[in-house]
mmCIF file of all heavy atoms in Angstrom:
data_model
loop_
_atom_site.group_PDB
_atom_site.id
_atom_site.type_symbol
_atom_site.label_atom_id
_atom_site.label_comp_id
_atom_site.label_asym_id
_atom_site.label_seq_id
_atom_site.Cartn_x
_atom_site.Cartn_y
_atom_site.Cartn_z
ATOM 1 N N MET A 24 0.844 -1.199 0.000
ATOM 2 C CA MET A 24 0.000 0.000 0.000
ATOM 3 C C MET A 24 0.881 1.252 0.000
ATOM 4 O O MET A 24 1.846 1.323 0.738
ATOM 5 C CB MET A 24 -0.887 0.026 1.257
ATOM 6 C CG MET A 24 -1.987 -1.000 1.249
ATOM 7 S SD MET A 24 -3.357 -0.560 2.352
ATOM 8 C CE MET A 24 -2.580 -0.495 3.955
ATOM 9 N N ALA A 44 13.736 8.265 8.838
ATOM 10 C CA ALA A 44 14.305 7.018 8.312
ATOM 11 C C ALA A 44 13.197 6.005 8.022
ATOM 12 O O ALA A 44 13.221 5.311 6.996
ATOM 13 C CB ALA A 44 15.317 6.443 9.304
ATOM 14 N N ILE A 51 6.623 6.638 2.472
ATOM 15 C CA ILE A 51 5.374 7.322 2.828
ATOM 16 C C ILE A 51 5.461 8.788 2.390
ATOM 17 O O ILE A 51 6.298 9.551 2.891
ATOM 18 C CB ILE A 51 5.138 7.260 4.359
ATOM 19 C CG1 ILE A 51 5.184 5.806 4.847
ATOM 20 C CG2 ILE A 51 3.791 7.923 4.703
ATOM 21 C CD1 ILE A 51 5.229 5.658 6.361
ATOM 22 N N THR A 53 4.892 12.423 2.544
ATOM 23 C CA THR A 53 4.601 13.161 3.773
ATOM 24 C C THR A 53 4.773 14.663 3.575
ATOM 25 O O THR A 53 5.768 15.103 2.997
ATOM 26 C CB THR A 53 5.574 12.696 4.894
ATOM 27 O OG1 THR A 53 5.432 11.279 5.068
ATOM 28 C CG2 THR A 53 5.306 13.405 6.216
ATOM 29 N N ALA A 79 6.836 22.139 4.764
ATOM 30 C CA ALA A 79 5.825 23.193 4.621
ATOM 31 C C ALA A 79 6.129 24.332 5.590
ATOM 32 O O ALA A 79 6.533 24.122 6.730
ATOM 33 C CB ALA A 79 4.433 22.634 4.874
ATOM 34 N N PRO A 84 -2.158 29.051 13.889
ATOM 35 C CA PRO A 84 -3.077 30.087 14.401
ATOM 36 C C PRO A 84 -2.988 30.301 15.908
ATOM 37 O O PRO A 84 -3.154 31.433 16.378
ATOM 38 C CB PRO A 84 -4.474 29.570 13.999
ATOM 39 C CG PRO A 84 -4.291 28.145 13.607
ATOM 40 C CD PRO A 84 -2.877 28.020 13.125
ATOM 41 N N HIS A 88 -1.024 35.299 17.550
ATOM 42 C CA HIS A 88 -1.076 36.548 18.327
ATOM 43 C C HIS A 88 0.272 36.901 18.946
ATOM 44 O O HIS A 88 0.549 38.065 19.193
ATOM 45 C CB HIS A 88 -2.166 36.475 19.398
ATOM 46 C CG HIS A 88 -1.917 35.446 20.453
ATOM 47 N ND1 HIS A 88 -2.073 34.105 20.226
ATOM 48 C CD2 HIS A 88 -1.510 35.570 21.746
ATOM 49 C CE1 HIS A 88 -1.769 33.447 21.343
ATOM 50 N NE2 HIS A 88 -1.430 34.305 22.267
ATOM 51 N N ARG A 96 8.878 37.482 7.624
ATOM 52 C CA ARG A 96 9.835 36.404 7.420
ATOM 53 C C ARG A 96 9.184 35.253 6.650
ATOM 54 O O ARG A 96 9.784 34.666 5.747
ATOM 55 C CB ARG A 96 10.313 35.930 8.799
ATOM 56 C CG ARG A 96 11.408 34.918 8.739
ATOM 57 C CD ARG A 96 11.895 34.646 10.151
ATOM 58 N NE ARG A 96 13.069 33.829 10.127
ATOM 59 C CZ ARG A 96 13.970 33.786 11.098
ATOM 60 N NH1 ARG A 96 13.818 34.569 12.155
ATOM 61 N NH2 ARG A 96 15.009 33.001 11.029
ATOM 62 N N LEU A 97 7.953 34.938 7.031
ATOM 63 C CA LEU A 97 7.228 33.871 6.320
ATOM 64 C C LEU A 97 7.036 34.245 4.849
ATOM 65 O O LEU A 97 7.310 33.448 3.948
ATOM 66 C CB LEU A 97 5.880 33.608 6.994
ATOM 67 C CG LEU A 97 5.061 32.450 6.393
ATOM 68 C CD1 LEU A 97 4.255 31.733 7.472
ATOM 69 C CD2 LEU A 97 4.130 32.904 5.285
ATOM 70 N N TYR A 106 4.765 24.196 -0.437
ATOM 71 C CA TYR A 106 3.857 23.729 0.620
ATOM 72 C C TYR A 106 3.801 24.728 1.769
ATOM 73 O O TYR A 106 4.843 25.209 2.233
ATOM 74 C CB TYR A 106 4.325 22.364 1.136
ATOM 75 C CG TYR A 106 4.320 21.337 0.037
ATOM 76 C CD1 TYR A 106 5.415 21.206 -0.824
ATOM 77 C CD2 TYR A 106 3.210 20.539 -0.188
ATOM 78 C CE1 TYR A 106 5.410 20.293 -1.861
ATOM 79 C CE2 TYR A 106 3.188 19.620 -1.225
ATOM 80 C CZ TYR A 106 4.292 19.505 -2.060
ATOM 81 O OH TYR A 106 4.283 18.606 -3.095
ATOM 82 N N ALA A 123 -8.488 38.406 16.023
ATOM 83 C CA ALA A 123 -8.195 39.428 15.001
ATOM 84 C C ALA A 123 -6.776 39.252 14.472
ATOM 85 O O ALA A 123 -6.530 39.374 13.262
ATOM 86 C CB ALA A 123 -8.403 40.831 15.580
ATOM 87 N N ARG A 127 -5.634 38.494 10.599
ATOM 88 C CA ARG A 127 -4.649 39.298 9.844
ATOM 89 C C ARG A 127 -3.548 38.406 9.274
ATOM 90 O O ARG A 127 -3.167 38.529 8.111
ATOM 91 C CB ARG A 127 -4.016 40.363 10.761
ATOM 92 C CG ARG A 127 -4.896 41.547 11.066
ATOM 93 C CD ARG A 127 -4.092 42.695 11.691
ATOM 94 N NE ARG A 127 -3.424 42.330 12.945
ATOM 95 C CZ ARG A 127 -4.002 42.403 14.161
ATOM 96 N NH1 ARG A 127 -5.257 42.801 14.284
ATOM 97 N NH2 ARG A 127 -3.319 42.065 15.240
ATOM 98 N N GLY A 135 -0.422 36.216 0.002
ATOM 99 C CA GLY A 135 0.920 35.913 -0.520
ATOM 100 C C GLY A 135 0.901 34.670 -1.397
ATOM 101 O O GLY A 135 1.530 34.625 -2.460
ATOM 102 N N CYS A 136 0.163 33.653 -0.954
ATOM 103 C CA CYS A 136 0.062 32.399 -1.730
ATOM 104 C C CYS A 136 -0.697 32.635 -3.029
ATOM 105 O O CYS A 136 -0.358 32.050 -4.064
ATOM 106 C CB CYS A 136 -0.634 31.328 -0.909
ATOM 107 S SG CYS A 136 0.335 30.747 0.495
ATOM 108 N N GLY A 141 -0.295 28.373 -7.210
ATOM 109 C CA GLY A 141 0.166 26.983 -7.206
ATOM 110 C C GLY A 141 0.609 26.413 -5.875
ATOM 111 O O GLY A 141 1.182 25.328 -5.828
ATOM 112 N N PRO A 153 -16.384 28.881 8.714
ATOM 113 C CA PRO A 153 -16.901 29.942 7.827
ATOM 114 C C PRO A 153 -15.868 31.036 7.534
ATOM 115 O O PRO A 153 -15.737 31.468 6.378
ATOM 116 C CB PRO A 153 -18.100 30.510 8.598
ATOM 117 C CG PRO A 153 -18.555 29.363 9.461
ATOM 118 C CD PRO A 153 -17.286 28.659 9.870
ATOM 119 N N GLY A 165 -4.692 27.828 -6.009
ATOM 120 C CA GLY A 165 -3.794 26.838 -5.411
ATOM 121 C C GLY A 165 -4.664 25.731 -4.873
ATOM 122 O O GLY A 165 -5.844 25.649 -5.224
ATOM 123 N N ALA A 194 -7.312 9.975 15.041
ATOM 124 C CA ALA A 194 -8.212 10.419 16.111
ATOM 125 C C ALA A 194 -9.618 10.662 15.559
ATOM 126 O O ALA A 194 -10.609 10.469 16.262
ATOM 127 C CB ALA A 194 -7.676 11.696 16.753
ATOM 128 N N THR A 197 -12.469 7.685 15.203
ATOM 129 C CA THR A 197 -13.225 7.212 16.370
ATOM 130 C C THR A 197 -14.177 8.287 16.899
ATOM 131 O O THR A 197 -14.818 8.091 17.925
ATOM 132 C CB THR A 197 -12.264 6.795 17.505
ATOM 133 O OG1 THR A 197 -11.395 7.900 17.806
ATOM 134 C CG2 THR A 197 -11.417 5.604 17.094
ATOM 135 N N ARG A 203 -20.517 10.818 9.406
ATOM 136 C CA ARG A 203 -21.213 11.890 8.695
ATOM 137 C C ARG A 203 -20.272 12.593 7.710
ATOM 138 O O ARG A 203 -20.640 12.888 6.576
ATOM 139 C CB ARG A 203 -21.759 12.903 9.710
ATOM 140 C CG ARG A 203 -22.851 13.790 9.166
ATOM 141 C CD ARG A 203 -23.320 14.762 10.213
ATOM 142 N NE ARG A 203 -22.223 15.568 10.713
ATOM 143 C CZ ARG A 203 -22.290 16.337 11.797
ATOM 144 N NH1 ARG A 203 -23.384 16.392 12.494
ATOM 145 N NH2 ARG A 203 -21.247 17.058 12.169
ATOM 146 N N THR A 207 -20.610 12.577 3.674
ATOM 147 C CA THR A 207 -20.898 13.860 3.029
ATOM 148 C C THR A 207 -19.917 14.187 1.905
ATOM 149 O O THR A 207 -20.309 14.709 0.867
ATOM 150 C CB THR A 207 -20.835 15.002 4.079
ATOM 151 O OG1 THR A 207 -21.748 14.708 5.132
ATOM 152 C CG2 THR A 207 -21.184 16.346 3.465
ATOM 153 N N GLY A 219 0.768 13.720 13.683
ATOM 154 C CA GLY A 219 1.738 13.313 14.715
ATOM 155 C C GLY A 219 2.711 14.452 14.972
ATOM 156 O O GLY A 219 2.938 15.267 14.085
ATOM 157 N N PRO A 228 2.426 8.431 20.404
ATOM 158 C CA PRO A 228 2.247 9.500 19.409
ATOM 159 C C PRO A 228 2.242 8.895 18.004
ATOM 160 O O PRO A 228 3.112 8.096 17.667
ATOM 161 C CB PRO A 228 3.476 10.391 19.607
ATOM 162 C CG PRO A 228 3.995 10.054 20.965
ATOM 163 C CD PRO A 228 3.660 8.611 21.199
ATOM 164 N N ALA A 229 1.248 9.268 17.215
ATOM 165 C CA ALA A 229 1.116 8.706 15.869
ATOM 166 C C ALA A 229 2.342 9.016 15.021
ATOM 167 O O ALA A 229 2.885 10.122 15.069
ATOM 168 C CB ALA A 229 -0.129 9.264 15.189
ATOM 169 N N ALA A 242 -11.792 2.188 4.177
ATOM 170 C CA ALA A 242 -12.209 0.998 3.419
ATOM 171 C C ALA A 242 -13.570 0.517 3.927
ATOM 172 O O ALA A 242 -14.463 0.182 3.144
ATOM 173 C CB ALA A 242 -11.162 -0.101 3.544
ATOM 174 N N GLU A 254 -5.312 3.165 -2.658
ATOM 175 C CA GLU A 254 -5.090 3.606 -4.029
ATOM 176 C C GLU A 254 -5.919 4.866 -4.333
ATOM 177 O O GLU A 254 -5.445 5.787 -4.999
ATOM 178 C CB GLU A 254 -5.450 2.467 -5.006
ATOM 179 C CG GLU A 254 -5.083 2.743 -6.456
ATOM 180 C CD GLU A 254 -3.588 2.923 -6.702
ATOM 181 O OE1 GLU A 254 -2.767 2.554 -5.826
ATOM 182 O OE2 GLU A 254 -3.238 3.462 -7.764
ATOM 183 N N GLN A 255 -7.160 4.905 -3.822
ATOM 184 C CA GLN A 255 -8.011 6.079 -4.019
ATOM 185 C C GLN A 255 -7.348 7.329 -3.424
ATOM 186 O O GLN A 255 -7.307 8.389 -4.053
ATOM 187 C CB GLN A 255 -9.383 5.849 -3.352
ATOM 188 C CG GLN A 255 -10.289 7.077 -3.344
ATOM 189 C CD GLN A 255 -10.647 7.543 -4.749
ATOM 190 O OE1 GLN A 255 -11.246 6.802 -5.520
ATOM 191 N NE2 GLN A 255 -10.254 8.757 -5.107
ATOM 192 N N SER A 259 -6.008 10.709 -5.393
ATOM 193 C CA SER A 259 -6.448 12.053 -5.021
ATOM 194 C C SER A 259 -5.242 12.943 -4.712
ATOM 195 O O SER A 259 -5.214 14.123 -5.081
ATOM 196 C CB SER A 259 -7.371 11.985 -3.799
ATOM 197 O OG SER A 259 -8.491 11.182 -4.085
ATOM 198 N N LEU A 263 -4.194 16.363 -6.583
ATOM 199 C CA LEU A 263 -3.926 17.576 -5.819
ATOM 200 C C LEU A 263 -2.590 18.198 -6.229
ATOM 201 O O LEU A 263 -2.466 19.413 -6.391
ATOM 202 C CB LEU A 263 -3.910 17.233 -4.329
ATOM 203 C CG LEU A 263 -3.317 18.254 -3.373
ATOM 204 C CD1 LEU A 263 -4.405 19.200 -2.881
ATOM 205 C CD2 LEU A 263 -2.670 17.585 -2.184
#
Side-chain angles (χ1 to χ4, degrees):
M24 289 202 299
I51 306 169
T53 303
H88 65 286
R96 186 174 188 156
L97 184 147
Y106 299 85
R127 284 194 301 273
C136 291
T197 55
R203 199 181 57 192
T207 303
E254 188 62 16
Q255 173 62 60
S259 301
L263 165 91

